């Protein structure tokens, strides 16, 4: 059972050090969990310092320093005779110890015996490299509990750098043996044993009556859950305790999210009304009608913008579901009501693509469209030309550069953020907080599982495009090893001969990554040879802006047939004639990201093919990729990704905008998110600022999450 959560701790609320009841009526009253550890009086100074280094300063922080795992020291494993992949927990006695030298490395080895003195005693070797302090505690005759993997080294079975504890006879009576023992994250100057002792004493001396539970309708109380997460009677008691604590953690987060949501929605006094003439003309000029999902989204958005409250909305739709048209409709509504509309995209390539489309759509309507990218900003001649005058109600499209342009943001009535998962939450907030209090529409194709959306985007209203425009060819995906490359190339050549286009993608994630540029650059020559006479071009994030632009334009016009590229094309790029996508070393991408990538094809009427080359040779990696063979449904892909990688990996904390979770797991605890979210709304509807005394514990919980979130920085 592992609880590998971050061990840093925020001290939570700013609390008066000593409660001065009469003098400061405004301050929060003292509350047992926030007691400073030094006030307990029995933790020694060096230990306080060491705990402080782990970020633990309050009683609550200490008791929420959850174990990494537990060891059942009532029943130890038998010493193994063969190496084994899983970890063993062994109890035994140290026999001979020796030092060895290999060049500059030194190792310290100890014979470790199950039943010392017995001729049949099983034994293994414990071995440490360059760790000199170990020899002080691991001496002949000492009894140890060790934890680690057993490997074969020559003729011997060996445990290298095991976690270990020296145990004594007195430990039988205490907390380190003969029971289920927690193993907490330790740190400099404070061992696992010390922390265990301190937590044990703190748990037994805590007066739980002073721990008002933030959760009123508890089934089990907070104190019991805390005792059980550290020192359970049985391993079975762990999961219920974890769920109890997870529920409290999620309640704090959902309350924070709900407070933010209420704030974002505060009335700003002016509604944006328009008769919709421009919109009607725009839609009429399109070569297709809107899907019913698009119609519904546009109607909801217009209604939302017509209210006195600010709009704060997420438009979620799988790749290719046609979010851009919805954004354009919202922007027209804003422009028609006399305000400027802004669209921010995560890459220059995408911003330019939007710019071209919007010019094409809006020029006939007489609406000025400006472009602001980092590259353009450096170029004074085009800057002046492309940005509409501030007093104009036009449209400005750009990249992050928009964040730094006051003139672009001035008077903005609507901010649209495309591919919002590529931006940090702070950037989203920064745009939304611009002085004109604009409506906010964020768009994403990352199909966040529904339970997660509630938390991550809990401060946003949701519109979903759950329908693809008609007339799309099918998209097939195949996961293969590179042995199949000759056949794949033959297939690709056939596609090119039919007039189609293709992407070949090399991994590494950042737009500016050096490595990926190298990979794509190194490979372009061989692709040119393989695919001659078709024109192959290189496109990656480290190329000059002008180069990127001209390559992209050449591909768009159908001159370049193949782009050898990187994940710069991951988001947004829309070239319907491209029907083939090959991803090299696909195992290095997350499933959700591969799903985004394959969203570049299957946009036209022709059948499209995505080939994922597995390069690691690991069967599990191939197994994972075959999930994409089986489904084209972004939600299914996201659920699988979440199951395999855990929520933390999918949504870096920065982009999720959530404080790091310590004990809750967004995948396993989806049902608890619902409970927490309902409870948060119920409480806040009666007490929006949590000023009632019995909501104090919840208020503190929210503050702790807020502090953790803020300390994450931007
Ligand atoms: P995404 O949701 O991935 O951003 P886009 O907005 O780029 O999708 O749209 C993908 C393609 O579908 C574009 O070429 C767009 O013009 C086209 N499209 C959008 N809506 C419709 C529709 N209702 N009918 C047909 N094609 C559409
Ligand atoms: Mg898009």
């Amino acid at each position: 059972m592992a609880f590998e959560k971050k061990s840093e701790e925020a001290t939570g609320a700013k609390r008066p050090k000593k409660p001065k009841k009469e003098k400061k009526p405004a301050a929060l009253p003292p509350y047992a969990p926030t007691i400073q550890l030094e006030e307990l009086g029995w933790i020694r100074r060096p230990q306080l310092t060491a705990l402080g280094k782990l970020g633990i300063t309050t009683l609550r922080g200490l008791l929420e320093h959850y174990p990494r795992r537990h060891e059942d020291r009532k029943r130890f494993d038998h010493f193994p005779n063969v190496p084994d992949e899983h970890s063993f927990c062994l109890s035994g006695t140290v026999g001979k110890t020796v030092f060895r030298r290999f060049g500059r490395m030194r190792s310290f080895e100890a014979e470790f015996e199950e039943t010392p003195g017995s001729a049949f005693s099983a034994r293994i070797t414990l071995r440490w490299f360059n760790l000199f302090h170990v020899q002080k505690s691991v001496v002949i005759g000492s009894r140890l509990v060790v934890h680690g993997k057993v490997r074969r080294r020559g003729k011997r079975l060996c445990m290298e750098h095991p976690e270990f504890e020296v145990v004594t006879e007195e430990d039988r009576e205490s907390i380190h043996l003969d029971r289920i023992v927690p193993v907490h994250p330790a740190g400099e100057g404070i061992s696992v044993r010390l922390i265990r002792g301190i937590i044990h004493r703190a748990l037994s001396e805590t007066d739980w009556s002073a721990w008002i539970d933030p959760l009123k309708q508890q089934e089990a109380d907070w104190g019991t859950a805390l005792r059980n997460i550290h020192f359970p009677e049985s391993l079975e008691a762990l999961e219920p305790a974890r769920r109890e604590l997870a529920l409290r953690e999620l309640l704090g987060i959902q309350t924070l999210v709900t407070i933010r949501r209420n704030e974002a929605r505060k009335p700003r006094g002016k509604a944006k009304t328009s008769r919709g003439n421009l919109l009607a003309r725009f839609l009429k000029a399109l070569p297709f009608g809107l899907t019913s999902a698009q119609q519904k989204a546009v109607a909801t958005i217009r209604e939302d913008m017509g209210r006195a409250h600010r709009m704060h909305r997420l438009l979620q739709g799988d790749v290719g579901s046609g979010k851009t048209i919805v954004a354009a409709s919202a922007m027209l509504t804003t422009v028609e009501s006399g305000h400027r509309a802004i669209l921010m995209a995560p890459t220059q390539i995408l911003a330019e693509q939007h710019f071209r489309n919007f010019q094409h759509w809006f020029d006939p309507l007489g609406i000025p469209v400006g472009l602001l990218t980092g590259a353009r900003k450096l170029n004074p001649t085009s800057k002046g030309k492309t940005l509409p005058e501030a007093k104009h109600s036009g449209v400005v499209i750009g990249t992050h550069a928009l964040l730094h342009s006051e003139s672009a943001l001035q008077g903005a009535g609507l901010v649209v953020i495309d591919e919002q998962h590529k931006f940090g939450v702070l950037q989203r907030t920064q745009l939304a907080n611009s002085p004109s209090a604009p409506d906010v529409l964020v768009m994403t194709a990352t199909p966040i599982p529904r339970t997660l959306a509630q938390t991550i985007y809990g401060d946003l209203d949701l519109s979903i495009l759950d329908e693809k425009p008609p007339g799309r060819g099918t998209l097939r995906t195949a996961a293969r090893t590179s042995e199949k490359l000759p056949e794949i190339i033959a297939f690709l050549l056939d596609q090119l001969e039919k007039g189609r286009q293709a992407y070949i993608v090399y991994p590494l994630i950042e737009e500016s990554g050096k490595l990926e540029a190298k990979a794509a650059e190194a490979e372009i020559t061989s692709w040119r040879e393989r695919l001659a006479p078709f024109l192959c071009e290189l496109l990656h994030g480290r190329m000059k802006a002008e180069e990127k632009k001209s390559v992209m334009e050449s591909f768009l016009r159908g001159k370049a047939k193949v782009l050898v590229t990187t994940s710069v094309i991951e988001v947004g790029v829309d070239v319907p004639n491209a029907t083939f996508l090959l991803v090299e070393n696909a195992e290095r991408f997350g499933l959700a990201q591969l799903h985004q990538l394959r969203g570049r094809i299957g946009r036209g009427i022709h059948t499209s093919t995505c080939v994922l080359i597995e390069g690691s040779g690991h069967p599990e990696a191939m197994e994972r990729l075959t999930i994409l063979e089986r489904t084209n449904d972004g939600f299914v892909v996201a659920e699988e990704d979440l199951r395999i990688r855990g929520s933390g990996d999918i949504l870096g904390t920065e982009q999720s905008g959530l404080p790091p979770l310590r004990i809750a797991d967004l995948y396993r605890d989806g049902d608890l998110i619902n409970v927490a979210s309902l409870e948060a709304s119920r409480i806040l509807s009666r007490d929006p600022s949590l000023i009632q005394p019995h909501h104090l514990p919840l208020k503190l919980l929210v503050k702790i999450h807020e502090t953790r979130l803020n300390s994450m920085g931007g």
Side-chain angles (χ1 to χ4, degrees), residues 7 51 54 56 60-67 184-186 195 199 230 662:
S7 64
L51 287 169
L54 292 175
I56 304 172
R60 174 185 205 133
L62 181 70
L63 298 188
E64 289 185 354
H65 186 64
Y66 298 122
H184 297 95
I195 292 194
I199 290 182
H230 293 287
R662 296 226 168 151

mmCIF file with all atom_site columns, all heavy atoms in Angstrom, residues 7 51 54 56 60-67 184-186 195 199 230 662:
data_model
loop_
_atom_site.group_PDB
_atom_site.id
_atom_site.type_symbol
_atom_site.label_atom_id
_atom_site.label_alt_id
_atom_site.label_comp_id
_atom_site.label_asym_id
_atom_site.label_entity_id
_atom_site.label_seq_id
_atom_site.pdbx_PDB_ins_code
_atom_site.Cartn_x
_atom_site.Cartn_y
_atom_site.Cartn_z
_atom_site.occupancy
_atom_site.B_iso_or_equiv
_atom_site.pdbx_formal_charge
_atom_site.auth_seq_id
_atom_site.auth_comp_id
_atom_site.auth_asym_id
_atom_site.auth_atom_id
_atom_site.pdbx_PDB_model_num
ATOM 1   N N   . SER A 1 7   ? 5.678  15.588 0.056  1.00 0.00 ? 7   SER A N   1
ATOM 2   C CA  . SER A 1 7   ? 5.760  15.714 1.494  1.00 0.00 ? 7   SER A CA  1
ATOM 3   C C   . SER A 1 7   ? 5.935  17.153 1.952  1.00 0.00 ? 7   SER A C   1
ATOM 4   O O   . SER A 1 7   ? 6.123  17.407 3.123  1.00 0.00 ? 7   SER A O   1
ATOM 5   C CB  . SER A 1 7   ? 6.909  14.869 2.014  1.00 0.00 ? 7   SER A CB  1
ATOM 6   O OG  . SER A 1 7   ? 8.103  15.380 1.508  1.00 0.00 ? 7   SER A OG  1
ATOM 7   N N   . LEU A 1 51  ? 12.110 18.692 10.925 1.00 0.00 ? 51  LEU A N   1
ATOM 8   C CA  . LEU A 1 51  ? 10.728 18.618 10.433 1.00 0.00 ? 51  LEU A CA  1
ATOM 9   C C   . LEU A 1 51  ? 10.391 19.864 9.613  1.00 0.00 ? 51  LEU A C   1
ATOM 10  O O   . LEU A 1 51  ? 9.739  19.781 8.574  1.00 0.00 ? 51  LEU A O   1
ATOM 11  C CB  . LEU A 1 51  ? 9.744  18.487 11.603 1.00 0.00 ? 51  LEU A CB  1
ATOM 12  C CG  . LEU A 1 51  ? 9.712  17.126 12.297 1.00 0.00 ? 51  LEU A CG  1
ATOM 13  C CD1 . LEU A 1 51  ? 8.918  17.194 13.596 1.00 0.00 ? 51  LEU A CD1 1
ATOM 14  C CD2 . LEU A 1 51  ? 9.123  16.068 11.372 1.00 0.00 ? 51  LEU A CD2 1
ATOM 15  N N   . LEU A 1 54  ? 11.240 19.638 6.179  1.00 0.00 ? 54  LEU A N   1
ATOM 16  C CA  . LEU A 1 54  ? 10.269 18.868 5.378  1.00 0.00 ? 54  LEU A CA  1
ATOM 17  C C   . LEU A 1 54  ? 8.979  19.656 5.188  1.00 0.00 ? 54  LEU A C   1
ATOM 18  O O   . LEU A 1 54  ? 8.001  19.140 4.644  1.00 0.00 ? 54  LEU A O   1
ATOM 19  C CB  . LEU A 1 54  ? 9.939  17.543 6.075  1.00 0.00 ? 54  LEU A CB  1
ATOM 20  C CG  . LEU A 1 54  ? 11.043 16.502 6.154  1.00 0.00 ? 54  LEU A CG  1
ATOM 21  C CD1 . LEU A 1 54  ? 10.589 15.304 6.979  1.00 0.00 ? 54  LEU A CD1 1
ATOM 22  C CD2 . LEU A 1 54  ? 11.439 16.043 4.761  1.00 0.00 ? 54  LEU A CD2 1
ATOM 23  N N   . ILE A 1 56  ? 7.129  20.726 7.667  1.00 0.00 ? 56  ILE A N   1
ATOM 24  C CA  . ILE A 1 56  ? 6.153  20.369 8.698  1.00 0.00 ? 56  ILE A CA  1
ATOM 25  C C   . ILE A 1 56  ? 6.330  21.283 9.902  1.00 0.00 ? 56  ILE A C   1
ATOM 26  O O   . ILE A 1 56  ? 7.371  21.233 10.570 1.00 0.00 ? 56  ILE A O   1
ATOM 27  C CB  . ILE A 1 56  ? 6.346  18.906 9.138  1.00 0.00 ? 56  ILE A CB  1
ATOM 28  C CG1 . ILE A 1 56  ? 6.253  17.992 7.923  1.00 0.00 ? 56  ILE A CG1 1
ATOM 29  C CG2 . ILE A 1 56  ? 5.328  18.520 10.196 1.00 0.00 ? 56  ILE A CG2 1
ATOM 30  C CD1 . ILE A 1 56  ? 6.627  16.558 8.215  1.00 0.00 ? 56  ILE A CD1 1
ATOM 31  N N   . ARG A 1 60  ? -1.186 19.628 12.528 1.00 0.00 ? 60  ARG A N   1
ATOM 32  C CA  . ARG A 1 60  ? -1.894 19.094 11.379 1.00 0.00 ? 60  ARG A CA  1
ATOM 33  C C   . ARG A 1 60  ? -0.931 18.644 10.281 1.00 0.00 ? 60  ARG A C   1
ATOM 34  O O   . ARG A 1 60  ? -1.076 17.574 9.697  1.00 0.00 ? 60  ARG A O   1
ATOM 35  C CB  . ARG A 1 60  ? -2.818 20.166 10.834 1.00 0.00 ? 60  ARG A CB  1
ATOM 36  C CG  . ARG A 1 60  ? -3.456 19.741 9.574  1.00 0.00 ? 60  ARG A CG  1
ATOM 37  C CD  . ARG A 1 60  ? -4.265 20.865 8.981  1.00 0.00 ? 60  ARG A CD  1
ATOM 38  N NE  . ARG A 1 60  ? -5.273 20.269 8.168  1.00 0.00 ? 60  ARG A NE  1
ATOM 39  C CZ  . ARG A 1 60  ? -6.540 20.617 8.189  1.00 0.00 ? 60  ARG A CZ  1
ATOM 40  N NH1 . ARG A 1 60  ? -6.951 21.579 8.963  1.00 0.00 ? 60  ARG A NH1 1
ATOM 41  N NH2 . ARG A 1 60  ? -7.391 20.001 7.423  1.00 0.00 ? 60  ARG A NH2 1
ATOM 42  N N   . GLY A 1 61  ? 0.076  19.496 10.035 1.00 0.00 ? 61  GLY A N   1
ATOM 43  C CA  . GLY A 1 61  ? 1.073  19.153 9.033  1.00 0.00 ? 61  GLY A CA  1
ATOM 44  C C   . GLY A 1 61  ? 1.735  17.824 9.373  1.00 0.00 ? 61  GLY A C   1
ATOM 45  O O   . GLY A 1 61  ? 1.997  16.998 8.504  1.00 0.00 ? 61  GLY A O   1
ATOM 46  N N   . LEU A 1 62  ? 1.997  17.627 10.660 1.00 0.00 ? 62  LEU A N   1
ATOM 47  C CA  . LEU A 1 62  ? 2.640  16.397 11.107 1.00 0.00 ? 62  LEU A CA  1
ATOM 48  C C   . LEU A 1 62  ? 1.727  15.198 10.852 1.00 0.00 ? 62  LEU A C   1
ATOM 49  O O   . LEU A 1 62  ? 2.149  14.185 10.297 1.00 0.00 ? 62  LEU A O   1
ATOM 50  C CB  . LEU A 1 62  ? 2.972  16.504 12.603 1.00 0.00 ? 62  LEU A CB  1
ATOM 51  C CG  . LEU A 1 62  ? 3.669  15.287 13.207 1.00 0.00 ? 62  LEU A CG  1
ATOM 52  C CD1 . LEU A 1 62  ? 5.088  15.173 12.678 1.00 0.00 ? 62  LEU A CD1 1
ATOM 53  C CD2 . LEU A 1 62  ? 3.677  15.368 14.731 1.00 0.00 ? 62  LEU A CD2 1
ATOM 54  N N   . LEU A 1 63  ? 0.473  15.331 11.244 1.00 0.00 ? 63  LEU A N   1
ATOM 55  C CA  . LEU A 1 63  ? -0.429 14.183 11.118 1.00 0.00 ? 63  LEU A CA  1
ATOM 56  C C   . LEU A 1 63  ? -0.864 13.961 9.675  1.00 0.00 ? 63  LEU A C   1
ATOM 57  O O   . LEU A 1 63  ? -1.341 12.895 9.325  1.00 0.00 ? 63  LEU A O   1
ATOM 58  C CB  . LEU A 1 63  ? -1.648 14.360 12.033 1.00 0.00 ? 63  LEU A CB  1
ATOM 59  C CG  . LEU A 1 63  ? -1.311 14.440 13.528 1.00 0.00 ? 63  LEU A CG  1
ATOM 60  C CD1 . LEU A 1 63  ? -2.574 14.412 14.358 1.00 0.00 ? 63  LEU A CD1 1
ATOM 61  C CD2 . LEU A 1 63  ? -0.366 13.330 13.955 1.00 0.00 ? 63  LEU A CD2 1
ATOM 62  N N   . GLU A 1 64  ? -0.677 14.973 8.845  1.00 0.00 ? 64  GLU A N   1
ATOM 63  C CA  . GLU A 1 64  ? -0.962 14.772 7.420  1.00 0.00 ? 64  GLU A CA  1
ATOM 64  C C   . GLU A 1 64  ? 0.314  14.454 6.636  1.00 0.00 ? 64  GLU A C   1
ATOM 65  O O   . GLU A 1 64  ? 0.339  14.503 5.416  1.00 0.00 ? 64  GLU A O   1
ATOM 66  C CB  . GLU A 1 64  ? -1.682 16.005 6.838  1.00 0.00 ? 64  GLU A CB  1
ATOM 67  C CG  . GLU A 1 64  ? -3.108 16.107 7.368  1.00 0.00 ? 64  GLU A CG  1
ATOM 68  C CD  . GLU A 1 64  ? -3.930 17.222 6.763  1.00 0.00 ? 64  GLU A CD  1
ATOM 69  O OE1 . GLU A 1 64  ? -3.369 18.028 5.973  1.00 0.00 ? 64  GLU A OE1 1
ATOM 70  O OE2 . GLU A 1 64  ? -5.132 17.311 7.080  1.00 0.00 ? 64  GLU A OE2 1
ATOM 71  N N   . HIS A 1 65  ? 1.360  14.149 7.370  1.00 0.00 ? 65  HIS A N   1
ATOM 72  C CA  . HIS A 1 65  ? 2.566  13.629 6.723  1.00 0.00 ? 65  HIS A CA  1
ATOM 73  C C   . HIS A 1 65  ? 2.325  12.126 6.580  1.00 0.00 ? 65  HIS A C   1
ATOM 74  O O   . HIS A 1 65  ? 2.684  11.336 7.444  1.00 0.00 ? 65  HIS A O   1
ATOM 75  C CB  . HIS A 1 65  ? 3.769  13.930 7.627  1.00 0.00 ? 65  HIS A CB  1
ATOM 76  C CG  . HIS A 1 65  ? 5.088  13.582 7.010  1.00 0.00 ? 65  HIS A CG  1
ATOM 77  N ND1 . HIS A 1 65  ? 5.569  14.207 5.882  1.00 0.00 ? 65  HIS A ND1 1
ATOM 78  C CD2 . HIS A 1 65  ? 6.025  12.679 7.358  1.00 0.00 ? 65  HIS A CD2 1
ATOM 79  C CE1 . HIS A 1 65  ? 6.748  13.689 5.575  1.00 0.00 ? 65  HIS A CE1 1
ATOM 80  N NE2 . HIS A 1 65  ? 7.043  12.763 6.448  1.00 0.00 ? 65  HIS A NE2 1
ATOM 81  N N   . TYR A 1 66  ? 1.692  11.742 5.466  1.00 0.00 ? 66  TYR A N   1
ATOM 82  C CA  . TYR A 1 66  ? 1.208  10.381 5.342  1.00 0.00 ? 66  TYR A CA  1
ATOM 83  C C   . TYR A 1 66  ? 2.339  9.415  5.009  1.00 0.00 ? 66  TYR A C   1
ATOM 84  O O   . TYR A 1 66  ? 3.313  9.790  4.353  1.00 0.00 ? 66  TYR A O   1
ATOM 85  C CB  . TYR A 1 66  ? 0.133  10.322 4.253  1.00 0.00 ? 66  TYR A CB  1
ATOM 86  C CG  . TYR A 1 66  ? -1.079 11.165 4.561  1.00 0.00 ? 66  TYR A CG  1
ATOM 87  C CD1 . TYR A 1 66  ? -1.491 12.173 3.689  1.00 0.00 ? 66  TYR A CD1 1
ATOM 88  C CD2 . TYR A 1 66  ? -1.804 10.956 5.738  1.00 0.00 ? 66  TYR A CD2 1
ATOM 89  C CE1 . TYR A 1 66  ? -2.603 12.942 3.974  1.00 0.00 ? 66  TYR A CE1 1
ATOM 90  C CE2 . TYR A 1 66  ? -2.916 11.730 6.023  1.00 0.00 ? 66  TYR A CE2 1
ATOM 91  C CZ  . TYR A 1 66  ? -3.313 12.730 5.140  1.00 0.00 ? 66  TYR A CZ  1
ATOM 92  O OH  . TYR A 1 66  ? -4.407 13.485 5.416  1.00 0.00 ? 66  TYR A OH  1
ATOM 93  N N   . PRO A 1 67  ? 2.174  8.158  5.444  1.00 0.00 ? 67  PRO A N   1
ATOM 94  C CA  . PRO A 1 67  ? 3.215  7.155  5.156  1.00 0.00 ? 67  PRO A CA  1
ATOM 95  C C   . PRO A 1 67  ? 3.337  6.879  3.662  1.00 0.00 ? 67  PRO A C   1
ATOM 96  O O   . PRO A 1 67  ? 2.361  6.978  2.924  1.00 0.00 ? 67  PRO A O   1
ATOM 97  C CB  . PRO A 1 67  ? 2.701  5.893  5.856  1.00 0.00 ? 67  PRO A CB  1
ATOM 98  C CG  . PRO A 1 67  ? 1.605  6.310  6.741  1.00 0.00 ? 67  PRO A CG  1
ATOM 99  C CD  . PRO A 1 67  ? 1.063  7.596  6.230  1.00 0.00 ? 67  PRO A CD  1
ATOM 100 N N   . HIS A 1 184 ? 7.314  6.512  6.776  1.00 0.00 ? 184 HIS A N   1
ATOM 101 C CA  . HIS A 1 184 ? 7.041  7.870  6.323  1.00 0.00 ? 184 HIS A CA  1
ATOM 102 C C   . HIS A 1 184 ? 8.203  8.406  5.507  1.00 0.00 ? 184 HIS A C   1
ATOM 103 O O   . HIS A 1 184 ? 9.337  7.962  5.682  1.00 0.00 ? 184 HIS A O   1
ATOM 104 C CB  . HIS A 1 184 ? 6.836  8.800  7.528  1.00 0.00 ? 184 HIS A CB  1
ATOM 105 C CG  . HIS A 1 184 ? 5.652  8.436  8.366  1.00 0.00 ? 184 HIS A CG  1
ATOM 106 N ND1 . HIS A 1 184 ? 5.748  7.641  9.487  1.00 0.00 ? 184 HIS A ND1 1
ATOM 107 C CD2 . HIS A 1 184 ? 4.350  8.760  8.237  1.00 0.00 ? 184 HIS A CD2 1
ATOM 108 C CE1 . HIS A 1 184 ? 4.537  7.490  10.016 1.00 0.00 ? 184 HIS A CE1 1
ATOM 109 N NE2 . HIS A 1 184 ? 3.673  8.154  9.281  1.00 0.00 ? 184 HIS A NE2 1
ATOM 110 N N   . PRO A 1 185 ? 7.953  9.385  4.674  1.00 0.00 ? 185 PRO A N   1
ATOM 111 C CA  . PRO A 1 185 ? 9.073  10.065 4.025  1.00 0.00 ? 185 PRO A CA  1
ATOM 112 C C   . PRO A 1 185 ? 9.923  10.703 5.121  1.00 0.00 ? 185 PRO A C   1
ATOM 113 O O   . PRO A 1 185 ? 9.388  11.379 5.996  1.00 0.00 ? 185 PRO A O   1
ATOM 114 C CB  . PRO A 1 185 ? 8.405  11.141 3.166  1.00 0.00 ? 185 PRO A CB  1
ATOM 115 C CG  . PRO A 1 185 ? 6.961  10.752 3.062  1.00 0.00 ? 185 PRO A CG  1
ATOM 116 C CD  . PRO A 1 185 ? 6.646  9.959  4.281  1.00 0.00 ? 185 PRO A CD  1
ATOM 117 N N   . ALA A 1 186 ? 11.219 10.436 5.098  1.00 0.00 ? 186 ALA A N   1
ATOM 118 C CA  . ALA A 1 186 ? 12.099 10.992 6.120  1.00 0.00 ? 186 ALA A CA  1
ATOM 119 C C   . ALA A 1 186 ? 12.933 12.090 5.487  1.00 0.00 ? 186 ALA A C   1
ATOM 120 O O   . ALA A 1 186 ? 12.725 12.439 4.327  1.00 0.00 ? 186 ALA A O   1
ATOM 121 C CB  . ALA A 1 186 ? 12.981 9.905  6.693  1.00 0.00 ? 186 ALA A CB  1
ATOM 122 N N   . ILE A 1 195 ? 10.603 9.895  13.006 1.00 0.00 ? 195 ILE A N   1
ATOM 123 C CA  . ILE A 1 195 ? 9.309  10.439 12.582 1.00 0.00 ? 195 ILE A CA  1
ATOM 124 C C   . ILE A 1 195 ? 8.173  9.550  13.064 1.00 0.00 ? 195 ILE A C   1
ATOM 125 O O   . ILE A 1 195 ? 7.160  10.012 13.561 1.00 0.00 ? 195 ILE A O   1
ATOM 126 C CB  . ILE A 1 195 ? 9.242  10.577 11.045 1.00 0.00 ? 195 ILE A CB  1
ATOM 127 C CG1 . ILE A 1 195 ? 10.206 11.655 10.595 1.00 0.00 ? 195 ILE A CG1 1
ATOM 128 C CG2 . ILE A 1 195 ? 7.827  10.906 10.584 1.00 0.00 ? 195 ILE A CG2 1
ATOM 129 C CD1 . ILE A 1 195 ? 9.996  12.115 9.186  1.00 0.00 ? 195 ILE A CD1 1
ATOM 130 N N   . ILE A 1 199 ? 5.165  10.910 15.383 1.00 0.00 ? 199 ILE A N   1
ATOM 131 C CA  . ILE A 1 199 ? 3.767  10.865 14.948 1.00 0.00 ? 199 ILE A CA  1
ATOM 132 C C   . ILE A 1 199 ? 2.945  10.002 15.895 1.00 0.00 ? 199 ILE A C   1
ATOM 133 O O   . ILE A 1 199 ? 1.820  10.337 16.256 1.00 0.00 ? 199 ILE A O   1
ATOM 134 C CB  . ILE A 1 199 ? 3.666  10.366 13.489 1.00 0.00 ? 199 ILE A CB  1
ATOM 135 C CG1 . ILE A 1 199 ? 4.219  11.443 12.554 1.00 0.00 ? 199 ILE A CG1 1
ATOM 136 C CG2 . ILE A 1 199 ? 2.228  10.018 13.119 1.00 0.00 ? 199 ILE A CG2 1
ATOM 137 C CD1 . ILE A 1 199 ? 4.159  11.126 11.084 1.00 0.00 ? 199 ILE A CD1 1
ATOM 138 N N   . HIS A 1 230 ? -1.914 5.991  9.803  1.00 0.00 ? 230 HIS A N   1
ATOM 139 C CA  . HIS A 1 230 ? -0.544 5.812  10.282 1.00 0.00 ? 230 HIS A CA  1
ATOM 140 C C   . HIS A 1 230 ? -0.345 4.437  10.917 1.00 0.00 ? 230 HIS A C   1
ATOM 141 O O   . HIS A 1 230 ? 0.569  3.713  10.558 1.00 0.00 ? 230 HIS A O   1
ATOM 142 C CB  . HIS A 1 230 ? -0.197 6.898  11.306 1.00 0.00 ? 230 HIS A CB  1
ATOM 143 C CG  . HIS A 1 230 ? -0.125 8.266  10.724 1.00 0.00 ? 230 HIS A CG  1
ATOM 144 N ND1 . HIS A 1 230 ? 0.917  8.671  9.925  1.00 0.00 ? 230 HIS A ND1 1
ATOM 145 C CD2 . HIS A 1 230 ? -0.967 9.324  10.792 1.00 0.00 ? 230 HIS A CD2 1
ATOM 146 C CE1 . HIS A 1 230 ? 0.716  9.933  9.543  1.00 0.00 ? 230 HIS A CE1 1
ATOM 147 N NE2 . HIS A 1 230 ? -0.432 10.350 10.060 1.00 0.00 ? 230 HIS A NE2 1
ATOM 148 N N   . ARG A 1 662 ? -2.451 15.165 -1.757 1.00 0.00 ? 662 ARG A N   1
ATOM 149 C CA  . ARG A 1 662 ? -1.608 14.331 -0.916 1.00 0.00 ? 662 ARG A CA  1
ATOM 150 C C   . ARG A 1 662 ? -2.121 12.930 -0.804 1.00 0.00 ? 662 ARG A C   1
ATOM 151 O O   . ARG A 1 662 ? -1.388 11.987 -0.635 1.00 0.00 ? 662 ARG A O   1
ATOM 152 C CB  . ARG A 1 662 ? -1.623 14.904 0.481  1.00 0.00 ? 662 ARG A CB  1
ATOM 153 C CG  . ARG A 1 662 ? -1.032 16.230 0.483  1.00 0.00 ? 662 ARG A CG  1
ATOM 154 C CD  . ARG A 1 662 ? -0.130 16.248 1.600  1.00 0.00 ? 662 ARG A CD  1
ATOM 155 N NE  . ARG A 1 662 ? 0.676  17.410 1.484  1.00 0.00 ? 662 ARG A NE  1
ATOM 156 C CZ  . ARG A 1 662 ? 1.162  18.001 2.518  1.00 0.00 ? 662 ARG A CZ  1
ATOM 157 N NH1 . ARG A 1 662 ? 0.908  17.534 3.715  1.00 0.00 ? 662 ARG A NH1 1
ATOM 158 N NH2 . ARG A 1 662 ? 1.918  19.042 2.356  1.00 0.00 ? 662 ARG A NH2 1
#
